Coordinates of all heavy atoms in Angstrom, one line a residue:
V19 N 13.2 14.7 62.3 CA 13.9 14.4 63.5 C 13.9 12.9 63.9 O 14.8 12.4 64.5 CB 13.5 15.3 64.7 CG1 14.0 16.7 64.5 CG2 12.0 15.2 64.9
V20 N 12.8 12.2 63.6 CA 12.7 10.8 64.0 C 12.3 9.9 62.8 O 12.5 8.6 62.9 CB 11.8 10.6 65.2 CG1 12.3 11.3 66.4 CG2 10.4 11.0 64.8
E32 N 21.9 9.5 61.7 CA 21.4 8.4 62.5 C 22.2 8.3 63.8 O 21.8 7.7 64.8 CB 21.4 7.1 61.8 CG 20.6 6.0 62.4 CD 19.1 5.9 61.9 OE1 18.6 7.0 61.4 OE2 18.6 4.9 61.9
R33 N 23.5 8.8 63.8 CA 24.4 8.6 64.9 C 24.3 9.7 65.9 O 25.0 9.6 66.9 CB 25.8 8.5 64.3 CG 26.1 7.2 63.5 CD 27.6 7.1 63.2 NE 28.1 8.1 62.4 CZ 28.2 8.0 61.1 NH1 27.8 6.9 60.4 NH2 28.8 8.9 60.3
I34 N 23.5 10.7 65.7 CA 23.4 11.8 66.7 C 22.0 11.8 67.2 O 21.0 11.3 66.7 CB 23.7 13.1 66.0 CG1 22.8 13.5 64.9 CG2 25.2 13.2 65.6 CD1 22.9 14.9 64.4
M35 N 21.8 12.5 68.4 CA 20.5 12.8 68.9 C 19.9 13.9 68.1 O 20.5 15.0 68.1 CB 20.6 13.1 70.4 CG 20.8 11.9 71.3 SD 20.6 12.2 73.0 CE 22.2 13.0 73.3
R36 N 18.7 13.7 67.6 CA 18.1 14.8 66.8 C 16.9 15.3 67.5 O 16.1 16.1 67.0 CB 17.7 14.2 65.4 CG 18.9 14.0 64.5 CD 18.4 13.7 63.1 NE 17.9 12.3 63.0 CZ 17.2 11.9 61.9 NH1 16.9 12.7 60.9 NH2 16.8 10.6 61.9
T37 N 16.7 14.9 68.7 CA 15.6 15.5 69.6 C 16.2 15.7 71.0 O 17.3 15.2 71.3 CB 14.4 14.5 69.8 OG1 14.8 13.5 70.7 CG2 14.0 13.9 68.5
G38 N 15.5 16.5 71.8 CA 16.0 16.7 73.1 C 15.6 15.7 74.2 O 15.6 16.0 75.4
T39 N 15.2 14.5 73.7 CA 14.7 13.5 74.6 C 15.8 12.7 75.3 O 15.5 11.9 76.2 CB 13.8 12.5 73.8 OG1 14.6 11.9 72.8 CG2 12.6 13.2 73.2
G40 N 17.0 12.9 75.0 CA 18.1 12.2 75.7 C 18.5 10.9 75.1 O 19.3 10.2 75.7
S41 N 18.0 10.5 73.9 CA 18.4 9.3 73.3 C 18.4 9.4 71.8 O 17.8 10.3 71.2 CB 17.4 8.2 73.7 OG 16.1 8.5 73.3
V42 N 19.2 8.5 71.2 CA 19.3 8.4 69.8 C 18.1 7.6 69.3 O 17.9 6.5 69.8 CB 20.6 7.8 69.3 CG1 20.6 7.6 67.8 CG2 21.8 8.7 69.7
C43 N 17.3 8.1 68.4 CA 16.1 7.5 67.9 C 16.3 6.9 66.5 O 16.5 7.7 65.6 CB 14.9 8.5 67.9 SG 14.5 9.2 69.5
P44 N 16.3 5.6 66.4 CA 16.4 5.0 65.1 C 15.3 5.5 64.1 O 14.1 5.7 64.6 CB 16.3 3.5 65.3 CG 16.6 3.3 66.7 CD 16.2 4.6 67.4
E97 N 20.3 23.3 66.4 CA 19.8 22.5 67.5 C 20.6 21.2 67.6 O 20.9 20.8 68.8 CB 18.3 22.1 67.2 CG 17.7 21.2 68.3 CD 16.2 20.9 68.2 OE1 15.7 21.2 67.1 OE2 15.6 20.5 69.2
Y98 N 21.0 20.5 66.6 CA 21.7 19.3 66.7 C 23.1 19.5 67.4 O 23.5 18.7 68.2 CB 21.9 18.6 65.3 CG 20.7 18.2 64.6 CD1 20.7 17.9 63.3 CD2 19.4 18.1 65.3 CE1 19.5 17.5 62.6 CE2 18.3 17.8 64.6 CZ 18.3 17.4 63.3 OH 17.2 17.0 62.6
N100 N 23.7 22.0 69.5 CA 23.4 22.3 70.9 C 23.2 21.0 71.7 O 23.7 20.9 72.8 CB 22.0 23.0 71.0 CG 22.1 24.5 70.6 OD1 23.2 25.1 70.5 ND2 21.0 25.1 70.3
I101 N 22.6 20.0 71.1 CA 22.3 18.7 71.8 C 23.6 17.9 71.9 O 23.9 17.3 72.9 CB 21.2 17.9 71.0 CG1 19.9 18.7 71.1 CG2 21.1 16.5 71.6 CD1 18.8 18.1 70.3
N102 N 24.4 17.8 70.8 CA 25.5 16.9 70.7 C 26.9 17.5 70.8 O 27.9 16.8 71.1 CB 25.4 16.2 69.4 CG 24.2 15.4 69.2 OD1 24.1 14.2 69.6 ND2 23.2 15.9 68.5
W105 N 30.6 22.5 71.3 CA 30.1 23.7 71.8 C 31.1 24.9 71.8 O 32.4 24.6 72.0 CB 29.6 23.5 73.3 CG 28.5 22.5 73.4 CD1 27.3 22.6 73.0 CD2 28.7 21.2 73.9 NE1 26.5 21.5 73.2 CE2 27.4 20.6 73.8 CE3 29.7 20.4 74.5 CZ2 27.1 19.3 74.2 CZ3 29.4 19.1 74.9 CH2 28.2 18.6 74.8
H138 N 15.9 29.2 76.8 CA 15.8 28.0 77.5 C 17.2 27.5 77.9 O 17.5 27.2 79.1 CB 15.1 27.0 76.7 CG 15.0 25.6 77.2 ND1 15.2 25.3 78.5 CD2 14.8 24.4 76.5 CE1 15.1 24.0 78.7 NE2 14.9 23.4 77.5
L139 N 18.2 27.5 77.0 CA 19.5 27.0 77.3 C 20.4 27.9 78.0 O 21.4 27.5 78.5 CB 20.1 26.5 75.9 CG 19.4 25.4 75.2 CD1 20.1 25.0 73.9 CD2 19.2 24.2 76.1
G144 N 21.9 22.9 82.0 CA 22.2 21.5 82.0 C 21.3 20.7 81.2 O 21.3 19.4 81.3
Q145 N 20.5 21.2 80.3 CA 19.5 20.5 79.5 C 20.2 19.4 78.6 O 19.8 18.3 78.6 CB 18.7 21.4 78.6 CG 17.7 20.7 77.8 CD 16.5 20.2 78.5 OE1 16.3 20.6 79.7 NE2 15.8 19.3 77.9
Y146 N 21.3 19.8 78.0 CA 22.0 18.9 77.1 C 23.4 18.6 77.5 O 23.9 17.4 77.4 CB 22.0 19.4 75.6 CG 20.7 19.7 75.0 CD1 20.4 20.9 74.3 CD2 19.6 18.8 75.2 CE1 19.2 21.2 73.8 CE2 18.3 19.1 74.6 CZ 18.2 20.3 73.9 OH 16.9 20.6 73.4
R147 N 24.1 19.6 77.9 CA 25.5 19.4 78.3 C 25.6 19.1 79.8 O 25.1 19.9 80.6 CB 26.3 20.6 77.9 CG 27.8 20.5 78.2 CD 28.6 21.6 77.6 NE 30.0 21.4 77.9 CZ 31.0 22.2 77.6 NH1 30.7 23.4 77.0 NH2 32.3 21.9 77.8
H148 N 26.2 18.0 80.2 CA 26.2 17.6 81.6 C 27.5 17.5 82.3 O 27.6 17.0 83.4 CB 25.5 16.2 81.6 CG 24.2 16.1 81.0 ND1 23.1 16.8 81.4 CD2 23.8 15.4 79.9 CE1 22.1 16.6 80.6 NE2 22.4 15.7 79.7
K223 N 3.3 24.3 71.1 CA 4.3 23.9 72.1 C 3.6 23.9 73.5 O 2.6 23.2 73.6 CB 5.5 24.9 72.1 CG 6.7 24.4 72.8 CD 7.4 23.2 72.1 CE 8.7 22.9 72.7 NZ 9.3 21.6 72.2
W252 N 5.6 19.7 68.4 CA 5.9 19.1 69.7 C 5.0 19.7 70.7 O 4.8 20.9 70.7 CB 7.3 19.3 70.0 CG 8.3 18.5 69.2 CD1 8.8 18.8 68.0 CD2 8.8 17.2 69.5 NE1 9.7 17.8 67.6 CE2 9.7 16.8 68.5 CE3 8.7 16.3 70.6 CZ2 10.4 15.6 68.5 CZ3 9.4 15.1 70.6 CH2 10.2 14.8 69.6
F263 N 6.0 10.0 68.1 CA 6.8 9.9 69.3 C 6.0 10.6 70.4 O 5.0 11.3 70.1 CB 8.1 10.7 69.2 CG 9.2 10.3 70.1 CD1 9.5 8.9 70.3 CD2 10.0 11.2 70.7 CE1 10.6 8.6 71.2 CE2 11.1 10.9 71.6 CZ 11.3 9.5 71.8
H264 N 6.3 10.3 71.7 CA 5.5 10.9 72.7 C 5.7 12.4 72.7 O 6.8 12.9 72.7 CB 5.9 10.4 74.1 CG 7.3 10.5 74.5 ND1 7.8 11.7 75.2 CD2 8.4 9.7 74.4 CE1 9.1 11.5 75.4 NE2 9.4 10.4 74.9
R397 N 1.4 13.5 77.5 CA 2.5 12.8 76.8 C 3.3 12.0 77.8 O 4.0 11.0 77.3 CB 3.3 13.8 76.1 CG 4.2 14.7 76.9 CD 5.1 15.6 76.1 NE 6.0 16.4 76.9 CZ 6.3 17.6 76.7 NH1 5.8 18.3 75.6 NH2 7.2 18.3 77.5
K401 N 4.6 8.2 77.2 CA 6.0 7.8 77.3 C 6.2 6.5 78.2 O 6.9 5.6 77.9 CB 6.9 8.9 77.8 CG 8.4 8.6 77.9 CD 9.2 9.8 78.5 CE 10.7 9.4 78.6 NZ 11.5 10.5 79.1
Y406 N 9.5 2.9 72.3 CA 9.8 3.6 71.0 C 9.6 2.6 69.8 O 9.2 3.1 68.7 CB 11.2 4.2 71.0 CG 11.6 4.9 69.7 CD1 11.0 6.2 69.5 CD2 12.3 4.3 68.7 CE1 11.3 6.8 68.3 CE2 12.6 5.0 67.5 CZ 12.1 6.2 67.3 OH 12.3 6.9 66.1

Side-chain angles (χ1 to χ4, degrees):
V19 287
V20 296
E32 195 95 332
R33 292 192 291 267
I34 63 172
M35 283 188 281
R36 290 189 284 166
T37 74
T39 58
S41 60
V42 175
C43 301
E97 182 174 14
Y98 296 166
N100 288 343
I101 295 172
N102 300 277
W105 299 289
H138 172 21
L139 296 179
Q145 180 71 17
Y146 302 137
R147 187 174 180 181
H148 306 299
K223 197 66 171 175
W252 289 85
F263 201 46
H264 59 88
R397 73 176 181 220
K401 182 180 181 180
Y406 182 74

